[in-house]
Amino acid sequence: WNLSTVFGWLLGYPVVYWFDRRSFERGVNCLTSEPLHVYTVVRSVDDLETNSVWSFSTPTVLDSLCKPIVDRWWTQLQKECLNVRLSLNRTDETLMGVAL
């Protein structure tokens, strides 16, 4: 088992990664140089102050599988946080190194 997956699941992230620990110990990271959708949930306090609440990524190549899951999670989060101004931002990035 790996802690990144457990922590992501416990924190309620919509998508969690499972990676082979032996590959990681050899310095191989399955997300290095992979195009990613990076999602950030932002809480707006007023017009000047914002705070990042969550940030997670999904591989671009898996968009058809991950996007419906992220969309359902976002819809549920908005229902649970009616009195909080939240927005979901998505950027596309390709990183030379990804910390899991």
Side-chain angles (χ1 to χ4, degrees):
W1 62 283
N2 64 57
L3 290 177
S4 295
T5 303
V6 173
F7 287 139
W9 180 74
L10 289 172
L11 292 171
Y13 282 77
V15 178
V16 295
Y17 294 102
W18 177 266
F19 59 92
D20 184 356
R21 189 175 182 166
R22 293 171 296 195
S23 296
F24 189 71
E25 289 169 353
R26 290 191 310 264
V28 177
N29 185 328
C30 61
L31 298 176
T32 297
S33 299
E34 284 292 322
L36 300 172
H37 294 311
V38 179
Y39 294 90
T40 305
V41 176
V42 177
R43 175 181 171 258
S44 298
V45 178
D46 54 37
D47 292 336
L48 300 175
E49 184 181 353
T50 60
N51 305 69
S52 293
V53 180
W54 271 292
S55 183
F56 59 92
S57 63
T58 61
T60 302
V61 70
L62 297 177
D63 193 49
S64 63
L65 296 171
C66 295
K67 187 170 181 343
I69 295 167
V70 172
D71 289 345
R72 280 194 305 274
W73 173 83
W74 175 241
T75 299
Q76 185 62 36
L77 184 64
Q78 288 177 305
K79 288 177 184 176
E80 293 173 6
C81 301
L82 289 175
N83 296 325
V84 181
R85 289 185 359 192
L86 296 175
S87 59
L88 180 64
N89 302 327
R90 188 186 93 180
T91 59
D92 295 328
E93 299 183 25
T94 302
L95 305 172
M96 295 309 296
V98 177
L100 297 175

